[in-house]
Amino acid sequence: MGFKCGIIGLPNVGKSTLFNILTNSKIPAKNFPFCTIKPNVGLAPVFDLRLNKIANIVHPKRIITTFMEFVDIAGLVKGASQGCGLGNQFLSNIHQVDLLIHVVRCFNDNNIVHMHEHVNPIYDVDIINMELILSDLNICQVEILKLKKKNIFDKYRIKILEQCLHCLNSNHFLNTLFLGKQDLNIIDDLHFITLKPMIYIANISNDSVKNVDLSKFLNFISLNKSVYIPVQIFTESQNTYLKLSNLNHVHFEENKESKINKIIQTGYKLLGLQTFFTVGKKEVRSWTINLGSTSVQAARKIHTDFEKGFIRAEVISYIDFIKFKYHNKIREFGKIRLEGKHYVVQDGDIIKFLFKV
């Protein structure tokens, strides 16, 4: 699994349609608020043309890609943090994801219902962001009170939480607060929403006349140091970027770079993820790990036995594999490296793990 990504936004802004595109699903996407009540969960294969290029050399029986989990979360409304619109239930679903995709409607169309009858991207974003802040604020306050009430004088944890409280009371996301790795680990169990990375998706029309002026919205995004991707969601729904035969055999289209694929790749970068490959006649497969992972951590991704009995890893860089193609030629030119358990895996590495249990 790559990562778990939650799709959020006001009701009826294109969240479910985007979810359907990403996961090849067919959940209802109706023209009225709260079409989605319970969160929909689906898997999306990670688009990586390197798999095709490796397979063209090896000719395996199957190609297996890594997958990401997407959650289509019901639309939030003003007052969600106080329970409006089943808000507490919806917010609880957001706490469990790693990354947020915030869909914002940026076009006018009288035939499509808007919650506030007037399209204003900044206003719409502010509503959602404030509810996320208020949700985290409540969690922060409750945790501080609990620690003090039980006379649990974890001074360092309370100090961090008080910093968070000040930040949230100033209407800022916690990801704007400088917190070290140790600090983040201490409060990791609270799953603060505003610590999660976010991608804003501007849902635009293919009819440019209908689109609102995005200059102010773009300035708003840049001031918040957030990532912005404009997507014609309706158009993308008609031009899905890959074809699936089943979840274990994926063929990627090479004709063009899709905005949908850009969402996935951007998520990878924001979460600090990378890919390594295992290659054989039976299958060519991609795996997702964190940047900085060692070879033994990559081995655990495949199977715990690989980690327990780890001896060494045979590593070939993707560039060398494509250049020399044949295993004997790769070895002849000294491009197969034997690495120990402390080797830091690089993106695109092709690895064969040697182990004994």
Side-chain angles (χ1 to χ4, degrees), residues 102-165:
H102 188 162
V103 182
V104 186
R105 179 174 161 183
C106 296
F107 64 91
N108 292 296
D109 190 330
N110 293 332
N111 295 316
I112 300 177
V113 176
H114 187 275
M115 281 293 293
H116 306 114
E117 299 181 357
H118 177 66
V119 176
N120 184 333
I122 295 177
Y123 179 76
D124 292 352
V125 165
D126 274 338
I127 287 175
I128 299 299
N129 287 354
M130 184 53 64
E131 295 308 318
L132 302 184
I133 288 170
L134 291 172
S135 176
D136 279 356
L137 183 64
N138 180 62
I139 291 171
C140 195
Q141 290 172 330
V142 169
E143 182 65 17
I144 291 173
L145 286 173
K146 184 178 75 174
L147 291 172
K148 291 182 176 179
K149 187 175 182 180
K150 291 185 177 180
N151 293 318
I152 302 173
F153 292 105
D154 187 339
K155 291 183 180 179
Y156 198 66
R157 182 176 172 91
I158 291 175
K159 180 183 176 182
I160 297 169
L161 288 172
E162 286 178 340
Q163 290 177 4
C164 293
L165 192 64

Side-chain angles (χ1 to χ4, degrees), residues 186-202:
I186 287 172
I187 59 173
D188 182 65
D189 60 307
L190 298 175
H191 304 291
F192 284 125
I193 299 173
T194 63
L195 273 175
K196 303 178 189 297
M198 184 184 291
I199 302 172
Y200 286 101
I201 300 299

Side-chain angles (χ1 to χ4, degrees), residues 46-55 58 63-66 252 265 268 274-280 283-289 298 302 313-319 321-322 345-353:
V46 178
F47 182 89
D48 197 326
L49 285 175
R50 292 179 295 184
L51 273 174
N52 279 5
K53 293 181 179 180
I54 293 171
V58 179
I63 304 170
I64 303 179
T65 184
T66 188
F252 298 111
Q265 297 302 330
Y268 254 54
Q274 65 179 358
T275 301
F276 76 92
F277 303 99
T278 52
V279 174
E283 68 179 38
V284 169
R285 185 166 186 164
S286 61
W287 304 85
T288 298
I289 54 174
I302 298 175
E314 290 186 357
V315 182
I316 306 168
S317 73
Y318 169 77
I319 292 174
F321 190 90
I322 297 301
V345 177
Q346 302 300 304
D347 185 55
D349 275 351
I350 295 165
I351 306 178
K352 178 181 179 181
F353 294 102

